[in-house]
Amino acid sequence: MSAAASVEAIDLIDYVINQGNGVKGLSKLGLKTIPHQYIQPPEERLDQNQIVDEESIPIIDVSNWDDPEVVSSICEAAAKWGFFQIVNHGIPLEVLENVMEAGHKFFELPSEEKRKYLKENSPTPTVQLKTSFSLAEKVLEWKDFLMHWYFPDDESVNLWPAVSKDQVLEYVNWAKPVIRKLLEVLLKGLNVKEFNESKESQLMGALIVDLMHYPLCPNPELAAGVGRHADISSITILLQDEVGGLYVQGTRADQWIHVTPVKGALVINIGDILQIVSNDRYKSIEHRVIVNKSRNRVSVPIFLNPKDDAVVGPFPELLESGEKPIYKNVVFSDYFNFFFSKGPEGKKTLEFAKV
């Protein structure tokens, strides 16, 4: 049976999900065309004419976090672009390369090995193998990912996959002080003086690390690694490899800017939660990932979310002067569940929290 015929003959969902083959398994079948379930409608494909080459998101050297120029560059980038890259953040290159390599190694494991981490098989709820975005969407995404919920001093990390566990944990330990610094700077830009316990539970109550894998795709122009969406996190810290493929919406809705990989840099983006608490001063921005015909792409995002039961709304400090709130107070778990109840839809989730 030819590869093209075999994909018609298999139950796609069973093959990709239940059997743990993932999109990686489809990619290895040597298909000439992708299954119709992965073909994006024309209006959701990236139009090459919309890519703006002369613009790029800011790259900020953070070797001195206390430098007023660094502070203003970060806050300005968060307000104008919603995205920026940071360099000289202090995380050794080796740590970054190791976690990226761990991403490749996990997805090279045999299917029966990976299948152990599917939700219903996983030895702990804190690690789960997933594919696509959610199965609620109309078109599937060309990606697989291993999701880790990180809690300090949680013994369940010992049950994470041996091939990647140590690298993920080492990366998180190095990233945590950088994340805290970033949030302190962003709060400073809002004239919020105190990073107290309530702010901490609103901004960094939960930390999720994904090993994302975008396998080779025979028709990258028809597929999406990730469709247009904005993150619901407070901030996302993304480590991307040299393959590239991340596009960010420009200052106009019909413009897309490629986030060129910079060795050793971290891509930072503002999520919906920071847009809500800042009462629209900082912006979460739509972005998408395009897949590649000749190279597998790996990236490692860290999503910083509020605690599930945290109530999120504009910071009181911003409303003291009589400024009108744009958002109401929402329980984060309600916001999270609403986002995942449908496919990615740009920034529509924010409507859920509007006054």
Side-chain angles (χ1 to χ4, degrees), residues 3 62 90 105 109 129 132 147 174 178 189 194-195 201 206 209 215-216 218 223 232 290 316 319 329 340 346:
V62 294
K105 281 186 175 157
L109 290 172
L129 174 62
S132 194
M147 208 170 182
W174 277 97
V178 175
E194 202 192 350
F195 196 179
S201 114
V209 193
L216 304 183
I232 57 170
I290 302 306
L319 306 178
N329 286 339
F340 281 102

Side-chain angles (χ1 to χ4, degrees), residues 202 276-279 312-319 324-329:
Q202 282 178 319
I276 291 168
V277 299
S278 73
N279 213 30
V312 178
F315 284 149
E317 292 92 329
L318 301 179
L319 306 178
K324 290 274 179 286
I326 297 167
Y327 302 96
K328 58 192 178 199
N329 286 339

